[in-house]
Short mmCIF file of all heavy atoms in Angstrom, two decimals:
data_model
loop_
_atom_site.label_atom_id
_atom_site.label_comp_id
_atom_site.label_asym_id
_atom_site.label_seq_id
_atom_site.Cartn_x
_atom_site.Cartn_y
_atom_site.Cartn_z
N ASN A 191 -51.16 64.79 -25.24
CA ASN A 191 -52.24 64.57 -24.29
C ASN A 191 -52.49 65.85 -23.51
O ASN A 191 -51.64 66.74 -23.44
CB ASN A 191 -51.86 63.45 -23.31
CG ASN A 191 -51.73 62.11 -24.00
OD1 ASN A 191 -52.71 61.42 -24.23
ND2 ASN A 191 -50.51 61.73 -24.36
N TYR A 192 -53.67 65.90 -22.87
CA TYR A 192 -54.05 67.08 -22.08
C TYR A 192 -52.95 67.40 -21.05
O TYR A 192 -52.57 68.55 -20.87
CB TYR A 192 -55.37 66.77 -21.37
CG TYR A 192 -56.06 67.96 -20.77
CD1 TYR A 192 -56.94 68.74 -21.52
CD2 TYR A 192 -55.85 68.31 -19.44
CE1 TYR A 192 -57.58 69.83 -20.96
CE2 TYR A 192 -56.49 69.39 -18.87
CZ TYR A 192 -57.36 70.15 -19.63
OH TYR A 192 -58.00 71.23 -19.07
N LYS A 193 -52.42 66.35 -20.41
CA LYS A 193 -51.40 66.57 -19.39
C LYS A 193 -50.13 67.16 -19.98
O LYS A 193 -49.42 67.92 -19.32
CB LYS A 193 -51.09 65.24 -18.69
CG LYS A 193 -50.54 65.40 -17.29
CD LYS A 193 -50.18 64.06 -16.68
CE LYS A 193 -51.20 63.60 -15.68
NZ LYS A 193 -50.86 62.25 -15.14
N THR A 277 -51.86 57.55 -24.42
CA THR A 277 -52.42 57.53 -23.06
C THR A 277 -53.93 57.74 -23.10
O THR A 277 -54.68 57.10 -22.36
CB THR A 277 -51.77 58.64 -22.21
OG1 THR A 277 -50.35 58.42 -22.20
CG2 THR A 277 -52.29 58.63 -20.79
N ALA A 278 -54.38 58.64 -23.99
CA ALA A 278 -55.81 58.96 -24.04
C ALA A 278 -56.62 57.73 -24.43
O ALA A 278 -57.62 57.40 -23.78
CB ALA A 278 -56.05 60.09 -25.04
N THR A 281 -56.58 55.02 -21.84
CA THR A 281 -57.46 55.38 -20.73
C THR A 281 -58.92 55.11 -21.11
O THR A 281 -59.72 54.65 -20.28
CB THR A 281 -57.26 56.86 -20.36
OG1 THR A 281 -55.88 57.03 -20.02
CG2 THR A 281 -58.13 57.29 -19.19
N GLY A 305 -66.75 65.24 -23.62
CA GLY A 305 -65.47 65.65 -24.23
C GLY A 305 -65.21 64.81 -25.46
O GLY A 305 -64.08 64.43 -25.76
N ALA A 306 -66.31 64.51 -26.20
CA ALA A 306 -66.26 63.46 -27.22
C ALA A 306 -65.29 63.75 -28.36
O ALA A 306 -64.72 62.82 -28.94
CB ALA A 306 -67.66 63.20 -27.77
N SER A 307 -65.06 65.02 -28.70
CA SER A 307 -64.14 65.31 -29.83
C SER A 307 -62.68 65.27 -29.42
O SER A 307 -61.80 65.37 -30.28
CB SER A 307 -64.43 66.70 -30.41
OG SER A 307 -65.76 66.80 -30.81
N GLY A 308 -62.41 65.17 -28.12
CA GLY A 308 -61.02 65.13 -27.65
C GLY A 308 -60.42 63.74 -27.82
O GLY A 308 -61.01 62.86 -28.46
N GLY A 309 -59.22 63.54 -27.26
CA GLY A 309 -58.50 62.28 -27.44
C GLY A 309 -59.17 61.11 -26.75
O GLY A 309 -59.50 60.10 -27.38
N VAL A 310 -59.39 61.23 -25.43
CA VAL A 310 -60.07 60.15 -24.69
C VAL A 310 -61.45 59.93 -25.31
O VAL A 310 -61.87 58.80 -25.58
CB VAL A 310 -60.23 60.50 -23.19
CG1 VAL A 310 -61.10 59.47 -22.49
CG2 VAL A 310 -58.87 60.61 -22.51
N GLY A 311 -62.15 61.05 -25.57
CA GLY A 311 -63.53 60.96 -26.06
C GLY A 311 -63.63 60.27 -27.40
O GLY A 311 -64.49 59.40 -27.60
N SER A 328 -71.28 63.85 -26.25
CA SER A 328 -71.48 65.24 -25.81
C SER A 328 -70.27 66.06 -26.24
O SER A 328 -69.13 65.70 -25.92
CB SER A 328 -71.62 65.27 -24.29
OG SER A 328 -71.49 66.60 -23.83
N THR A 329 -70.52 67.15 -26.94
CA THR A 329 -69.41 67.97 -27.44
C THR A 329 -69.75 69.45 -27.43
O THR A 329 -70.93 69.82 -27.57
CB THR A 329 -69.02 67.54 -28.88
OG1 THR A 329 -67.92 68.36 -29.31
CG2 THR A 329 -70.17 67.71 -29.87
N GLY A 330 -68.74 70.27 -27.28
CA GLY A 330 -68.91 71.72 -27.42
C GLY A 330 -68.72 72.15 -28.87
O GLY A 330 -68.86 73.32 -29.20
N ARG A 331 -68.36 71.18 -29.71
CA ARG A 331 -68.10 71.50 -31.12
C ARG A 331 -69.14 70.78 -31.98
O ARG A 331 -68.86 69.72 -32.54
CB ARG A 331 -66.69 71.02 -31.50
CG ARG A 331 -65.59 71.85 -30.84
CD ARG A 331 -64.22 71.34 -31.21
NE ARG A 331 -63.68 70.44 -30.19
CZ ARG A 331 -62.47 69.87 -30.25
NH1 ARG A 331 -61.69 70.12 -31.28
NH2 ARG A 331 -62.06 69.07 -29.29
N ARG A 349 -72.64 70.12 -25.29
CA ARG A 349 -72.15 69.99 -23.92
C ARG A 349 -72.76 71.04 -22.98
O ARG A 349 -72.73 70.86 -21.76
CB ARG A 349 -70.63 70.02 -23.88
CG ARG A 349 -69.99 71.37 -23.99
CD ARG A 349 -68.48 71.23 -23.98
NE ARG A 349 -67.82 72.51 -23.90
CZ ARG A 349 -66.59 72.73 -24.34
NH1 ARG A 349 -65.89 71.75 -24.88
NH2 ARG A 349 -66.04 73.91 -24.21
N ALA A 370 -64.67 62.62 -19.46
CA ALA A 370 -63.32 63.20 -19.50
C ALA A 370 -63.33 64.64 -19.02
O ALA A 370 -62.35 65.35 -19.16
CB ALA A 370 -62.80 63.15 -20.95
N VAL A 371 -64.44 65.08 -18.41
CA VAL A 371 -64.67 66.51 -18.20
C VAL A 371 -64.74 66.92 -16.73
O VAL A 371 -64.28 67.99 -16.35
CB VAL A 371 -65.96 66.92 -18.97
CG1 VAL A 371 -66.41 68.31 -18.61
CG2 VAL A 371 -65.71 66.83 -20.49
N THR A 375 -70.32 69.08 -15.12
CA THR A 375 -70.72 68.10 -16.15
C THR A 375 -70.84 66.71 -15.53
O THR A 375 -71.85 66.02 -15.72
CB THR A 375 -69.70 68.09 -17.31
OG1 THR A 375 -69.72 69.38 -17.92
CG2 THR A 375 -70.03 67.03 -18.35
N CYS A 392 -62.56 59.91 -15.72
CA CYS A 392 -61.11 59.93 -15.91
C CYS A 392 -60.54 61.33 -16.08
O CYS A 392 -59.33 61.48 -16.06
CB CYS A 392 -60.72 59.05 -17.10
SG CYS A 392 -61.26 59.72 -18.68
N GLY A 393 -61.38 62.36 -16.26
CA GLY A 393 -60.78 63.64 -16.65
C GLY A 393 -61.32 64.85 -15.94
O GLY A 393 -62.26 64.76 -15.14
N LEU A 394 -60.70 65.98 -16.25
CA LEU A 394 -61.05 67.24 -15.58
C LEU A 394 -61.01 68.43 -16.52
O LEU A 394 -60.66 69.54 -16.13
CB LEU A 394 -60.10 67.46 -14.37
CG LEU A 394 -58.60 67.19 -14.55
CD1 LEU A 394 -57.96 68.03 -15.62
CD2 LEU A 394 -57.87 67.36 -13.25
N ALA A 395 -61.40 68.22 -17.79
CA ALA A 395 -61.30 69.31 -18.76
C ALA A 395 -62.15 70.52 -18.37
O ALA A 395 -61.81 71.65 -18.68
CB ALA A 395 -61.70 68.81 -20.16
N GLN A 396 -63.28 70.29 -17.67
CA GLN A 396 -64.05 71.44 -17.18
C GLN A 396 -63.54 71.90 -15.82
O GLN A 396 -63.57 73.09 -15.52
CB GLN A 396 -65.55 71.10 -17.07
CG GLN A 396 -66.39 72.31 -16.68
CD GLN A 396 -67.88 72.01 -16.53
OE1 GLN A 396 -68.30 70.85 -16.47
NE2 GLN A 396 -68.68 73.06 -16.48
N ILE A 417 -60.85 56.18 -12.67
CA ILE A 417 -59.87 55.60 -13.60
C ILE A 417 -58.55 56.35 -13.50
O ILE A 417 -58.49 57.55 -13.70
CB ILE A 417 -60.39 55.69 -15.06
CG1 ILE A 417 -61.76 55.03 -15.21
CG2 ILE A 417 -59.36 55.09 -16.02
CD1 ILE A 417 -61.81 53.55 -14.88
N ASN A 418 -57.49 55.62 -13.16
CA ASN A 418 -56.15 56.19 -13.12
C ASN A 418 -55.26 55.36 -14.03
O ASN A 418 -54.97 54.21 -13.73
CB ASN A 418 -55.61 56.16 -11.68
CG ASN A 418 -54.13 56.41 -11.63
OD1 ASN A 418 -53.55 57.02 -12.52
ND2 ASN A 418 -53.48 55.94 -10.58
N SER A 419 -54.81 55.94 -15.13
CA SER A 419 -54.03 55.17 -16.10
C SER A 419 -52.54 55.13 -15.77
O SER A 419 -51.79 54.38 -16.37
CB SER A 419 -54.20 55.78 -17.50
OG SER A 419 -53.59 57.06 -17.54
N VAL A 420 -52.11 55.97 -14.82
CA VAL A 420 -50.67 56.20 -14.65
C VAL A 420 -49.95 54.99 -14.05
O VAL A 420 -48.87 54.63 -14.49
CB VAL A 420 -50.43 57.47 -13.79
CG1 VAL A 420 -48.94 57.68 -13.53
CG2 VAL A 420 -51.02 58.69 -14.48
N ILE A 462 -54.34 72.31 -26.97
CA ILE A 462 -55.07 71.17 -26.38
C ILE A 462 -55.81 71.61 -25.12
O ILE A 462 -56.94 71.17 -24.88
CB ILE A 462 -54.17 69.93 -26.15
CG1 ILE A 462 -55.06 68.72 -25.79
CG2 ILE A 462 -53.08 70.14 -25.12
CD1 ILE A 462 -54.49 67.38 -26.09
N LEU A 463 -55.24 72.52 -24.35
CA LEU A 463 -55.93 72.97 -23.13
C LEU A 463 -57.19 73.75 -23.47
O LEU A 463 -58.15 73.74 -22.70
CB LEU A 463 -55.00 73.82 -22.27
CG LEU A 463 -53.78 73.11 -21.70
CD1 LEU A 463 -53.03 74.02 -20.74
CD2 LEU A 463 -54.15 71.81 -20.98
N GLY A 465 -59.16 73.13 -25.90
CA GLY A 465 -60.14 72.28 -26.59
C GLY A 465 -60.13 72.47 -28.10
O GLY A 465 -61.13 72.20 -28.76
N VAL A 467 -57.89 70.95 -30.15
CA VAL A 467 -57.31 69.79 -30.84
C VAL A 467 -58.38 68.72 -30.98
O VAL A 467 -59.02 68.35 -30.00
CB VAL A 467 -56.09 69.25 -30.04
CG1 VAL A 467 -55.58 67.96 -30.66
CG2 VAL A 467 -55.00 70.29 -29.98
N GLY A 469 -59.50 64.88 -31.67
CA GLY A 469 -59.00 63.50 -31.69
C GLY A 469 -57.59 63.42 -31.13
O GLY A 469 -57.26 64.06 -30.14
P1 NDP B 798 -58.45 66.62 -24.98
O1 NDP B 798 -58.17 68.06 -24.81
O2 NDP B 798 -58.09 65.95 -26.25
O3 NDP B 798 -60.01 66.37 -24.74
C1 NDP B 798 -60.76 67.06 -23.79
C2 NDP B 798 -62.09 67.45 -24.39
O4 NDP B 798 -62.93 67.94 -23.35
C3 NDP B 798 -62.00 68.58 -25.39
O5 NDP B 798 -61.64 68.17 -26.66
C4 NDP B 798 -63.42 69.11 -25.36
O6 NDP B 798 -64.24 68.25 -26.13
C5 NDP B 798 -63.81 68.92 -23.88
N1 NDP B 798 -63.63 70.16 -23.10
C6 NDP B 798 -62.56 71.00 -23.11
N2 NDP B 798 -62.75 72.02 -22.27
C7 NDP B 798 -63.99 71.84 -21.72
C8 NDP B 798 -64.77 72.57 -20.79
N3 NDP B 798 -64.33 73.71 -20.24
N4 NDP B 798 -65.99 72.08 -20.46
C9 NDP B 798 -66.44 70.94 -21.00
N5 NDP B 798 -65.74 70.20 -21.90
C10 NDP B 798 -64.53 70.65 -22.25
O7 NDP B 798 -57.77 65.89 -23.74
P2 NDP B 798 -57.52 64.31 -23.50
O8 NDP B 798 -58.55 63.55 -24.24
O9 NDP B 798 -56.08 64.02 -23.68
O10 NDP B 798 -57.83 64.21 -21.94
C11 NDP B 798 -59.16 64.41 -21.48
C12 NDP B 798 -59.16 64.49 -19.96
O11 NDP B 798 -58.84 63.22 -19.43
C13 NDP B 798 -58.14 65.47 -19.39
O12 NDP B 798 -58.68 66.12 -18.27
C14 NDP B 798 -57.00 64.58 -18.98
O13 NDP B 798 -56.22 65.13 -17.95
C15 NDP B 798 -57.74 63.34 -18.52
N6 NDP B 798 -56.96 62.11 -18.60
C16 NDP B 798 -56.90 61.35 -17.46
C17 NDP B 798 -56.24 60.17 -17.46
C18 NDP B 798 -56.29 59.31 -16.24
O14 NDP B 798 -55.43 58.46 -16.07
N7 NDP B 798 -57.27 59.49 -15.39
C19 NDP B 798 -55.45 59.73 -18.62
C20 NDP B 798 -55.66 60.55 -19.82
C21 NDP B 798 -56.38 61.72 -19.76
P3 NDP B 798 -65.51 68.79 -26.99
O15 NDP B 798 -64.97 69.93 -27.81
O16 NDP B 798 -65.94 67.62 -27.79
O17 NDP B 798 -66.53 69.24 -25.99
#
Side-chain angles (χ1 to χ4, degrees):
N191 294 278
Y192 193 87
K193 204 183 257 178
T277 302
T281 302
S307 304
V310 172
S328 166
T329 181
R331 291 179 263 182
R349 78 182 188 205
V371 170
T375 298
C392 68
L394 44 59
Q396 185 181 14
I417 304 300
N418 166 23
S419 67
V420 177
I462 190 155
L463 295 186
V467 174

